[in-house]
Amino acid sequence: MVSIIIASVDSRALSKIKSNIQETIAIPYELIAIENAKGERGICSIYNEGAKRARFDLLCFVHEDVRFETMGWGKCITAAFESNSKLGLLGVAGGAYKSRAPSSWFCYDGYHWLHQIGVIQHFKYDTDRPVTDHSLEYESNLKKVAALDGVLLCSRKSIMLDHEFDEALLTGFHGYDIDISLAIGQHYDVMATNQFLITHFSEGYYGADWFDATLRVHRKWQHLLPVMTVQLTKQQLKFLEKRNMRFFLHIARQIGLSKIKRLRLLWDSRIVKLTGWATFLKLHVELVKKRTYRL
């Protein structure tokens, strides 16, 4: 049995996912929908409340703008936890490398084989882009990852009560997925599954709120990063850190961060140990001399 927890901002979207869950889950469940239409509470606070209110052992935190495409997906979740006592966090999209450079759960324009994704993605903010199917076939049903996308996160209630979402650090709607992945990943397996597919009707947005939350999470976990669940060469590490740092500096420029503050970000990131001084100084020169970044 599963307790499904949703932070709801749209009553119509909530009505749709209620019907969709009832039609597809195929196991007993309860739905805990916490209204937050005015955005007065951060998602960490809402999810922590939902976890405390849950009656069942398995919890599923999910966005309300999704549709489950696979019949019996609830059985896939219960089977995953029954088959692995060390499983602490399960999702449908994750990355095997979490860079030291500030970034999302995936590596920007990096090696796509690092990303385990079972999502049909629609694009809300970019109407020119088509619907894209990112569903991948894995070698096994479950793949260990460093961090999961927050579109869907499943865990045990006992684990979530011991590892709450950090609502003191993250008061908005970003960064919580990376933060909880890294926290739970210290003690349990964090994994992505290919056993069911969802459609997500909006993509992530790289604005000032995302930038601030990402920076907060990376400062918190700087002592631990990078985290990887696959073996990578020094050249691969160098490439991934360089690309992610470039992208983060690009977002910093877009939101109006001064050149001095961007330089400080670069030096505070401590990526030099992974990129080497030559690449690090190249990024420094690019930042100083160029108005844009070659992404």
Side-chain angles (χ1 to χ4, degrees):
M1 295 183 283
V2 178
S3 295
I4 300 169
I5 300 164
I6 295 176
S8 178
V9 298
D10 185 336
S11 59
R12 289 176 297 179
L14 180 61
S15 178
K16 288 181 180 179
I17 194 173
K18 278 183 177 180
S19 298
N20 173 248
I21 290 171
Q22 185 175 12
E23 294 169 359
T24 60
I25 190 170
I27 62 170
Y29 72 96
E30 67 169 341
L31 180 62
I32 302 171
I34 300 175
E35 194 273 334
N36 194 39
K38 295 181 180 180
E40 296 174 342
R41 297 176 62 185
I43 197 167
C44 290
S45 171
I46 291 173
Y47 278 179
N48 285 337
E49 178 188 335
K52 291 181 176 70
R53 286 169 52 182
R55 294 188 293 118
F56 301 141
D57 177 53
L58 291 182
L59 310 184
C60 182
F61 305 92
V62 63
H63 291 187
E64 68 178 343
D65 61 337
V66 307
R67 182 176 64 227
F68 291 91
E69 304 292 353
T70 305
M71 292 297 298
W73 59 271
K75 295 180 180 179
C76 299
I77 291 174
T78 57
F81 281 92
E82 287 172 357
S83 64
N84 182 0
S85 62
K86 294 183 179 180
L87 179 57
L89 196 64
L90 178 72
V92 291
Y97 184 76
K98 183 66 206 77
S99 63
R100 179 172 293 179
S103 70
S104 186
W105 57 268
F106 59 89
C107 294
Y108 176 79
D109 196 29
Y111 302 110
H112 296 296
W113 56 270
L114 292 172
H115 308 147
Q116 323 296 343
I117 307 174
V119 179
I120 299 174
Q121 183 68 61
H122 289 235
F123 296 96
K124 179 179 178 180
Y125 300 106
D126 189 348
T127 56
D128 294 332
R129 298 177 67 178
V131 174
T132 304
D133 185 351
H134 286 297
S135 178
L136 299 180
E137 292 293 332
Y138 313 150
E139 295 176 359
S140 60
N141 295 338
L142 294 170
K143 204 77 168 180
K144 193 172 181 180
V145 295
L148 289 165
D149 182 5
V151 66
L152 182 141
L153 299 169
C154 303
S155 186
R156 295 189 184 277
K157 180 173 181 175
S158 57
I159 293 174
M160 293 311 306
L161 294 181
D162 286 339
H163 302 82
E164 292 187 337
F165 291 94
D166 194 343
E167 57 185 271
L169 180 74
L170 302 168
T171 58
F173 305 93
H174 302 280
Y176 66 96
D177 46 5
I178 299 173
D179 183 62
I180 199 67
S181 295
L182 295 174
I184 292 178
Q186 300 307 292
H187 309 281
Y188 301 92
D189 290 341
V190 176
M191 308 192 83
T193 177
N194 69 339
Q195 290 299 91
F196 61 92
L197 184 69
I198 68 170
T199 292
H200 189 203
F201 292 102
S202 65
E203 77 277 27
Y205 180 72
Y206 300 110
D209 291 342
W210 174 86
F211 181 91
D212 177 67
T214 301
L215 200 55
R216 286 170 178 259
V217 170
H218 274 257
R219 285 171 174 165
K220 175 180 176 180
W221 295 104
Q222 191 176 56
H223 66 284
L224 182 71
L225 295 170
V227 174
M228 66 194 84
T229 57
V230 293
Q231 291 294 323
L232 297 172
T233 66
K234 289 183 179 180
Q235 196 64 27
Q236 288 171 328
L237 291 173
K238 176 180 175 181
F239 174 82
L240 292 169
E241 293 293 338
K242 177 178 67 175
R243 296 294 284 180
N244 280 345
M245 195 70 232
R246 270 188 178 145
F247 182 71
F248 197 70
L249 292 173
H250 170 71
I251 298 299
R253 180 179 178 274
Q254 283 191 328
I255 66 173
L257 211 65
S258 69
K259 186 176 290 187
I260 293 297
K261 289 184 178 179
R262 280 179 277 149
L263 283 169
R264 187 175 299 164
L265 277 177
L266 175 60
W267 282 91
D268 288 346
S269 68
R270 301 182 184 178
I271 65 168
V272 65
K273 293 183 179 180
L274 298 170
T275 63
W277 277 106
T279 298
F280 183 84
L281 292 174
K282 182 179 179 181
L283 288 170
H284 185 279
V285 171
E286 285 179 358
L287 198 162
V288 171
K289 292 187 175 181
K290 297 181 180 181
R291 293 183 178 181
T292 59
Y293 299 97
R294 180 176 58 79
L295 296 175

